Structures are given as structure tokens and as C-alpha cells.
Amino acid sequence: MYKKPDLNGPLTRLRENAAAWKANLARLTSREGMKQDTYAWPIARMEERDDLAKKIVDDFTALDEVMSSHHGIGSAAPTSWSIDALTEEDLAKVKADWPELGMFADDTVRRVADVIGIRMVRAMAQEAVRRAPAVLKARDSQ
């Protein structure tokens, strides 16, 4: 069965590090920072900012590695974007309700529905049924 890659960890770390970056920038430009007589205070904040920038670059690198190594039908996405897999009962019900799905094998319907959803599979089947006469006619005339 198709499994989407896990992007939740890298996305969570990216959000946390971006929020820390914003907080650091706010502290650096705050009145408290402006009141400091020495350069030590802003330099320390800038050093923190550099560390956070490296973490953010590392987070983007992790996301890029996950998404670059993905070679499935669907796109790499966090699990919150995932689609529940069809159960046997669900598949039987939709095939009874939507006869156009009969043009595809059950395992094809299941695999594609796990990636893009059963409604999109139905839309593809409906489009295929609408276009089939013209395609067959053109093929027969050749």
C-alpha cells in the first residue's frame, strides 16, 4: 500500500525555529536592546540569530531530502493531508453506487484512491467514459 513520506517532524521544527527567529529579531530591535550601552548585548542576539538561521537551513534541507526522494503517484505531504485508505466495505459500496468504476480493476481503484481520493478516481472514470466513444472512433478510423 502507498505510504506518504513523513514531513511532520521537519515542518514542526521549521515552524518552531522560524518562531524563535522572529522572537530573537523582536528582542534585538526592542527598546531593551536600544538601551544597552555596550555592543555585547546585540552581538549575543546576532549570534543566537545565526544559530537559528543554521537550524532553519537544516530544516529546509531535511524537507528537501524527504521530498526529493519521494517517487510516488501523489505528492509528498504532511499526514494531515493524507486520505484514509478504503476498506473492503467502502470499495464495495462505491462500486455499487458508481458503476463507471467498473472499468478499473479493484486494486487500481484502491491504490489510486489511497493517494488522490475516491472522488477523484470517480471523476477520472466519468471522464474516461465520456471520451471513450471519440477515442475508439478515431482509433478504428486509422
Side-chain angles (χ1 to χ4, degrees):
M1 192 61 59
Y2 173 78
K3 295 286 184 193
K4 288 190 177 186
D6 178 29
L7 296 178
N8 293 328
L11 284 172
T12 299
R13 287 190 299 277
L14 181 60
R15 286 185 195 103
E16 290 168 356
N17 290 330
W21 170 276
K22 288 179 186 176
N24 180 281
L25 186 60
R27 282 194 320 240
L28 187 61
T29 58
S30 69
R31 294 235 180 247
E32 177 187 350
M34 301 296 186
K35 292 179 188 176
Q36 299 293 328
D37 292 338
T38 69
Y39 289 109
W41 192 85
I43 289 172
R45 296 288 85 71
M46 286 189 272
E47 287 173 350
E48 287 176 19
R49 185 183 65 188
D50 291 345
D51 293 340
L52 289 170
K54 180 176 181 342
K55 288 179 182 178
I56 290 171
V57 168
D58 291 343
D59 295 336
F60 275 112
T61 301
L63 285 171
D64 184 52
E65 286 173 5
V66 171
M67 294 177 77
S68 295
S69 64
H70 175 70
H71 299 292
I73 294 175
S75 62
T79 55
S80 61
W81 296 1
S82 66
I83 297 168
D84 293 335
L86 283 178
T87 64
E88 290 296 327
E89 296 81 26
D90 292 338
L91 183 59
K93 183 176 183 235
V94 296
K95 285 193 76 165
D97 292 344
W98 302 333
E100 61 271 17
L101 291 178
M103 68 186 326
F104 300 128
D106 286 355
D107 63 326
T108 302
V109 171
R110 182 179 303 286
R111 281 195 316 264
V112 177
D114 286 350
V115 176
I116 62 174
I118 191 63
R119 287 186 180 3
M120 189 62 194
V121 176
R122 180 189 187 199
M124 290 169 50
Q126 289 173 331
E127 185 71 18
V129 168
R130 277 194 295 275
R131 292 177 181 250
V135 171
L136 293 172
K137 182 178 176 184
R139 190 181 76 184
D140 290 341
S141 67
Q142 291 177 355

